């Protein structure tokens, strides 16, 4: 007897099962894409933001310095390298002193006034003095005229605080070298700007500075802000800096930057190099933050007003 089997219309055939499986896989893949699309888009957005930020950083670095007025590897001698700029109106708000008040403004650099050996001797003088104390932040000051010395977050008078011990730190020869160097700097500033050196006077503050990458603890440590010396100090008519260490080998960062409307221009410190300029707003400037090592320099400032004159320092 032959038994006939009837087909079950509710049972799916093989082709139908395969189609359902494929459709299910497709739905699962679509769901997986929808689930992963949000974090992927966030990742892509993050990459775009990072790329844009990197571009802005690079662009800002490119725009930071438009011209190097004197590189560390150059020897600017025998004549100063002079860059003239128009005088600002600042001087109209102050009493004028014929033969001294700036009629010709600008900035200049020379490596022919102070020898490298003399600068190294002055650096050792600064190191001895600053070894007695120092700031908790990145900038420490030693002023041989007033005796001001950074100590923690304040200043002390080095001559009073250390008393007779000072004779073991400084010598008469140190102070004589300091005075000789000051006189030479005054002479080159006067000659460059067409002044009568007898009508220029040393003024305060005139000081050694030691700057490193230590985090700032006080406003005094934030040396990198743009400023105008005539506004900040009042008595300044001419500012000079004698560098006692080398950019790129003794320290990183720490370049002196003139901030002009047409771009920023820098002087790279070199041991024995003197940079000087008229102190008005024609020479808005700042110092780059030091990123490593230690930068030593002396700021020597001059006034045309005899009421603000100071004398060379001397041992007590």
């Amino acid at each position: 007897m032959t038994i006939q089997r009837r087909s079950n219309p509710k049972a799916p055939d093989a082709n139908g099962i395969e189609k359902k499986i494929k459709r299910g896989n497709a739905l699962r893949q679509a769901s997986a894409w929808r689930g992963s699309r949000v974090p992927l888009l966030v990742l892509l957005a993050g990459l775009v933001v990072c790329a844009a930020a990197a571009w802005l950083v690079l662009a800002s670095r490119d725009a930071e310095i438009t011209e190097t007025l004197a590189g560390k590897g150059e020897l600017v001698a025998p004549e100063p390298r002079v860059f003239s700029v128009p005088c600002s109106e600042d001087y109209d708000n102050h009493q004028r002193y014929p033969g001294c008040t700036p009629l010709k403004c600008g900035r200049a650099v020379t490596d022919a006034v102070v020898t490298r050996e003399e600068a190294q001797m002055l650096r050792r003088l600064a190191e001895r003095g600053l070894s007695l104390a120092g700031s908790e932040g990145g900038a420490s000051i030693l002023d041989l005229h007033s005796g001001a010395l950074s100590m923690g977050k304040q200043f002390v008078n080095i001559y009073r605080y250390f008393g007779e011990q000072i004779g073991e730190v400084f010598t008469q020869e140190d102070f004589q070298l300091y005075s000789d160097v000051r006189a030479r700097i005054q002479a080159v500033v006067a000659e460059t700007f067409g002044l009568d050196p007898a009508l220029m006077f040393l003024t305060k503050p005139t000081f050694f500075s030691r700057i490193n990458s230590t985090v700032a603890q006080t406003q005094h440590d934030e040396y990198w802000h743009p400023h105008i010396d005539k506004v900040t100090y009042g008595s300044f008519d001419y500012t000079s800096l004698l560098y006692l260490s080398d950019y790129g080998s003794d320290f990183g960062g720490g370049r002196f930057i003139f901030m002009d409307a047409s771009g920023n221009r820098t002087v790279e410190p070199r041991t024995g190099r003197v940079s000087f300029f008229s102190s008005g707003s024609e020479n808005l400037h700042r110092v780059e933050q030091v990123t490593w090592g230690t930068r030593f320099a002396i700021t020597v400032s001059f006034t045309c007003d005899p009421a603000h004159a100071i004398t060379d320092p001397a041992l007590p």
Side-chain angles (χ1 to χ4, degrees):
M1 178 178 174
T2 302
I3 299 175
Q4 294 182 349
R5 296 186 179 181
R6 295 180 181 178
S7 60
N8 185 356
K10 294 183 180 180
D13 60 15
N15 290 335
I17 294 174
E18 185 177 354
K19 288 179 181 179
K20 287 183 179 180
I21 291 172
K22 288 181 177 180
R23 188 161 54 246
N25 287 340
L27 290 172
R28 282 192 294 273
Q29 288 172 357
S31 177
W33 160 247
R34 283 193 296 271
S36 63
R37 181 168 54 186
V38 173
L40 183 59
L41 288 175
V42 171
L43 176 61
L44 289 173
L47 290 174
V48 170
V49 170
C50 290
W55 181 86
L56 287 173
V57 169
L58 291 173
S60 65
R61 285 179 179 173
D62 290 342
E64 175 72 15
I65 302 299
T66 57
E67 183 180 357
T68 299
L69 302 182
K72 181 256 181 179
E74 298 180 81
L75 181 64
V76 182
E79 298 300 321
R81 184 176 296 170
V82 182
F83 306 87
S84 297
V85 296
C87 290
S88 65
E89 297 178 357
D90 302 358
Y91 306 101
D92 295 336
N93 300 320
H94 299 271
Q95 181 177 347
R96 288 188 170 271
Y97 295 87
C100 181
T101 297
L103 297 175
K104 180 175 70 172
C105 295
R107 56 201 65 150
V109 180
T110 178
D111 294 320
V113 171
V114 181
T115 68
R116 190 172 185 86
E117 291 71 25
E118 288 172 328
Q120 289 169 337
M121 291 172 65
L122 288 170
R123 173 174 170 168
R124 289 193 289 272
L125 184 162
E127 289 173 333
R128 291 197 302 275
L130 288 164
S131 69
L132 298 175
S135 168
E136 293 178 359
S140 297
I141 297 299
L142 170 62
D143 184 338
L144 293 180
H145 299 265
S146 68
L149 172 68
S150 298
M151 179 176 281
K153 295 181 180 180
Q154 59 186 359
F155 290 88
V156 298
N157 186 308
I158 190 172
Y159 303 125
R160 295 176 185 169
Y161 196 89
F162 293 98
E164 295 180 358
Q165 188 179 347
I166 286 299
E168 301 172 4
V169 179
F170 303 131
T171 67
Q172 189 58 50
E173 289 72 20
D174 291 331
F175 281 71
Q176 186 60 54
L177 173 60
Y178 181 93
S179 298
D180 291 345
V181 166
R182 187 274 309 159
R184 276 181 263 155
I185 292 174
Q186 183 167 341
V188 74
V189 172
E191 182 178 1
T192 301
F193 287 106
L195 313 172
D196 182 348
L199 300 177
M200 294 172 60
F201 305 95
L202 190 66
T203 193
K204 63 180 181 181
T206 287
F207 56 90
F208 289 88
S209 60
R210 181 186 69 192
I211 303 175
N212 58 34
S213 59
T214 306
V215 175
Q217 299 296 317
T218 67
Q219 187 176 5
H220 167 72
D221 294 318
E222 297 180 6
Y223 55 84
W224 53 82
H225 298 298
H227 64 279
I228 300 162
D229 285 350
K230 189 70 177 169
V231 173
T232 303
Y233 301 110
S235 63
F236 281 31
D237 288 299
Y238 301 94
T239 307
S240 71
L241 294 110
L242 167 58
Y243 296 109
L244 308 180
S245 51
D246 292 319
Y247 167 73
S249 53
D250 292 321
F251 61 91
R255 292 177 294 179
F256 190 94
I257 300 174
F258 292 103
M259 304 178 69
D260 298 328
S262 58
N264 295 334
R265 295 170 171 84
T266 186
V267 173
E268 295 179 352
R270 171 189 172 101
T271 300
R273 171 166 290 169
V274 178
S275 172
F276 55 95
F277 50 93
S278 50
S279 303
S281 58
E282 67 276 2
N283 280 314
L284 173 69
H285 62 274
R286 69 182 183 88
V287 174
E288 263 185 333
Q289 285 187 257
V290 171
T291 56
W292 58 268
T294 305
R295 177 190 191 270
F296 284 90
I298 310 176
T299 297
V300 182
S301 44
F302 300 99
T303 184
C304 298
D305 185 352
H308 292 290
I310 61 174
T311 58
D312 285 330
L315 278 173

